């Protein structure tokens, strides 16, 4: 206990004792970034109107393709949730409201760029070439669903949060050393950003000028932990600046902003101008996963506040203003996407054949004795029950 009248440690540590900025002499010059500034980007306001002079004017075909991909992402999401509730699907992580993040971060990638997703990234995976039937097998726990399709340069998605970020920097460094002028995009959540290895990844990428784009999808929640309990500083993009990584904060519900930011970041990475961190500010409208019930920890009014920032509705207003998509045409896209998802479900039901005898496989090259005993006992049980 401190003596009476003695200042406590907290009282001694007053702000006036902290050296003022610029006080320390030495080779501390910033390399190229303005440490006092975070760029932020929004192109479409909440009503789908373009901010003055910012319209990137992408061509019609690109815009409609991106719109369809966002609608398909949402249709897949709704169907997977329904299938899980009907007992036809394993645990699933919905993506409602994050469709602009999904498509915006991968739309400008080519087949020789790499993508390293976290588990909530199915929209981006579909864009990259994963069939929906393949993803259904993945989420239903079939071994065949896990490896990426042939020719798709994606890492399998990461469930151990943040674990894929450092290896992705390694991937980008390897590309650079091999003089391969492509880039990698890695995404992770606001919660994953608290993992120490994500900070290591930013530092390595900055030191090595690795051709990588970090997309932090700040959706406000890490399961039941809100952002203000996750981070003392809710502008996560500032963390990148501390490591010397070009960093920007983007409206993650604005597809045009996400497209522009990622396209520019990928271009810079490929041209040897180093890594970028994009903090995509969005909101997790739905459940963390189908094993979650957010009503026990968050007030529904928080979600309501985000409903009028729907990334698809905003984009549809923009497309309508450009005379590219009427509301009837938007309905047709929705119906076609719904049918595509149903066709994938039919295919999934036909191809996903459970192999209960394989349950002990694929873990050890040499099965430990104890596990082998369990395996044999399990097989005897299957035999008794007549299961093939
Ligand atoms: C290393 C590790 N710790 C804990 C978990 C359990 N877990 C799964 S998802 C999650 C929250 C992740 O939140 P965030 O990174 O914000 O991603 P989001 O789910 O919001 O997309 C946690 C803690 C995990 N998968 N891995
Ligand atoms: Mg999150």
């Amino acid at each position: 206990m401190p003596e009476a009248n003695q200042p406590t440690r907290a009282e001694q540590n007053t702000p006036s004792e902290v050296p003022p900025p610029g006080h320390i002499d030495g080779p501390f010059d910033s390399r190229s970034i303005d440490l006092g500034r975070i760029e932020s980007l929004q192109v479409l306001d909440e009503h789908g109107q373009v901010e003055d002079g910012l319209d990137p004017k992408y061509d019609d075909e690109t815009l409609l393709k991106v719109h369809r991909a966002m609608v398909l992402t949402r249709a897949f999401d709704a169907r997977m949730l329904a299938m899980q509730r009907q007992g036809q699907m394993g645990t699933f992580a919905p993506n409602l409201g994050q469709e602009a993040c999904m498509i915006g971060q991968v739309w400008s990638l080519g087949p020789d760029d790499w993508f390293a997703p976290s588990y909530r990234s199915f929209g981006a995976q579909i864009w990259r070439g994963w069939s929906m039937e393949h993803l259904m097998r993945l989420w239903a726990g079939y071994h065949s669903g896990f490896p990426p399709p042939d020719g798709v340069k994606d890492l399998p998605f990461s469930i151990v949060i943040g674990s894929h970020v450092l290896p992705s920097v390694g991937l980008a460094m390897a590309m650079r050393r091999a003089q391969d002028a492509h880039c990698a995009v890695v995404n992770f959540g606001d919660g994953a950003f608290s993992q120490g290895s994500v900070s290591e990844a930013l530092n390595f990428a900055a030191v090595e000028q690795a051709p990588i784009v970090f997309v932090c999808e700040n959706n406000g929640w890490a399961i039941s932990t809100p952002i203000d309990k996750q981070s003392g500083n809710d502008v996560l993009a500032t963390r990148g600046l501390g490591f010397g990584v070009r960093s920007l904060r983007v409206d993650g519900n604005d597809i045009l902003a996400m497209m522009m930011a990622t396209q520019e970041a990928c271009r810079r990475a490929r041209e040897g101008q180093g890594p970028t961190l994009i903090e995509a500010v969005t909101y997790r409208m739905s459940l963390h996963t189908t094993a979650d019930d957010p009503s026990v920890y968050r007030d529904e009014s928080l979600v309501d506040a985000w409903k009028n920032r729907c990334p698809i509705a905003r984009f549809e207003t923009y497309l309508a203003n450009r005379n590219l998509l009427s509301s009837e045409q938007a309905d047709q896209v929705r119906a076609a996407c719904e049918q595509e998802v149903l066709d994938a479900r039919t295919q999934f039901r036909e191809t996903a054949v459970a192999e209960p005898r394989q349950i002990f496989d694929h873990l050890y090259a040499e099965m430990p004795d104890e596990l082998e005993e369990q395996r044999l006992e399990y097989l005897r049980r299957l035999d008794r029950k007549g299961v093939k």
Side-chain angles (χ1 to χ4, degrees):
M1 289 284 288
E3 297 277 331
N5 301 328
Q6 288 281 312
T8 62
R9 283 198 58 182
E11 283 162 352
Q12 282 170 6
N13 189 17
T14 55
S16 63
E17 290 176 273
V18 176
H23 175 82
I24 305 168
D25 293 323
F28 295 106
D29 287 347
S30 153
R31 282 196 196 150
S32 59
I33 49 173
D34 176 357
L35 288 174
R37 209 171 126 250
I38 280 283
E39 289 174 57
S40 61
L41 184 62
Q42 183 188 59
V43 177
L44 292 176
D45 70 13
E46 291 185 11
H47 310 290
Q49 304 298 326
V50 186
E51 303 279 343
D52 275 352
L54 277 182
D55 192 342
K57 298 201 167 71
Y58 291 120
D59 63 75
D60 297 355
E61 192 187 334
T62 301
L63 291 170
L64 291 176
K65 190 173 166 203
V66 163
H67 169 259
R68 191 181 197 285
M70 289 168 72
V71 174
L72 187 64
T73 303
R74 189 167 287 189
F76 182 78
D77 190 334
R79 182 58 55 189
M80 289 289 276
L81 194 53
M83 286 169 76
Q84 199 280 339
R85 294 309 193 220
Q86 291 159 357
Q88 301 171 28
M89 188 48 61
T91 306
F92 173 66
N95 182 259
L96 183 70
Q98 295 181 224
E99 297 87 356
C101 294
M102 280 298 93
I103 308 305
Q105 68 188 278
V106 287
W107 82 280
S108 69
L109 295 183
D112 287 323
D113 296 311
W114 280 87
F115 178 53
S118 61
Y119 45 83
R120 204 182 296 287
S121 308
F122 50 85
Q125 290 174 299
I126 296 169
W127 179 278
R128 292 279 293 164
W130 294 64
S131 71
M132 289 185 283
E133 178 260 334
H134 189 147
L135 289 171
M136 285 175 180
R137 272 186 281 123
L138 193 167
W139 283 102
Y142 290 89
H143 188 252
S144 65
F146 282 79
D150 286 345
V152 174
K153 287 190 169 177
D154 286 11
L155 297 187
F157 72 50
S158 152
I159 288 193
V160 181
I161 59 170
S163 61
H164 58 310
V165 186
L166 201 45
S168 304
V169 174
L171 191 64
M173 284 164 58
M175 285 158 78
R176 193 150 172 72
R177 286 198 185 172
Q179 301 194 328
D180 171 345
H182 294 96
C183 69
V185 169
V186 56
N187 81 20
F188 53 92
D190 44 290
F193 210 160
S194 296
Q195 294 287 63
S197 65
V198 177
S199 292
E200 292 171 27
L202 286 163
N203 189 50
F204 259 114
V207 170
E208 298 287 335
Q209 289 293 284
I212 187 162
V213 180
F214 300 93
V215 179
C216 174
E217 287 181 41
N218 180 357
N219 64 5
W221 295 91
I223 313 183
S224 55
T225 304
I227 186 67
D228 59 327
K229 294 265 189 307
Q230 184 71 243
S231 177
N233 164 7
D234 65 357
V235 182
L236 301 182
T238 55
R239 295 189 192 174
L241 288 187
F243 288 107
V245 173
R246 173 176 176 262
S247 303
L248 47 151
R249 195 166 216 239
V250 176
D251 181 341
N253 284 20
D254 173 353
I255 181 65
L256 295 181
M258 282 302 298
M259 288 170 76
M260 281 173 76
T262 320
Q263 184 182 33
E264 163 77 350
C266 289
R267 183 188 59 72
R268 290 173 64 106
R270 293 188 198 103
E271 289 175 359
Q273 295 179 57
T276 300
L277 167 66
I278 294 172
E279 178 194 0
V281 182
T282 183
Y283 201 76
R284 198 199 78 213
M285 304 294 286
S286 183
L287 318 163
H288 168 69
T289 66
T290 46
D292 177 43
D293 174 8
S295 70
V296 299
Y297 58 79
R298 83 175 173 187
D299 189 336
E300 200 51 27
S301 64
L302 291 170
V303 181
D304 289 343
W306 281 81
K307 283 190 181 150
N308 56 8
R309 296 181 192 153
C310 169
I312 295 180
R314 272 160 88 174
F315 193 33
E316 287 181 354
T317 304
Y318 169 81
L319 295 173
N321 289 342
R322 274 189 58 162
N323 290 324
L324 273 181
L325 191 78
S326 64
S327 61
E328 295 75 39
Q329 286 167 323
D331 288 344
Q332 284 163 10
V333 173
R334 261 181 273 287
C337 288
E338 176 63 17
Q339 190 54 51
E340 212 182 307
V341 176
L342 291 175
D343 292 346
R345 186 184 64 175
T346 306
Q347 222 181 333
F348 161 71
R349 286 176 175 164
E350 283 165 5
T351 55
V353 181
E355 303 274 7
R357 282 166 196 273
Q358 289 182 1
I359 201 167
F360 285 83
D361 297 352
H362 308 299
L363 195 56
Y364 289 96
E366 285 172 39
M367 186 85 76
D369 291 345
E370 195 189 14
L371 215 53
E372 179 61 11
E373 271 175 39
Q374 290 179 25
R375 189 176 79 89
L376 293 174
E377 184 188 330
Y378 170 72
L379 292 181
R380 281 194 295 274
R381 276 193 200 194
L382 293 184
D383 287 342
R384 276 203 303 277
K385 290 178 181 245
V387 177
K388 287 253 164 20

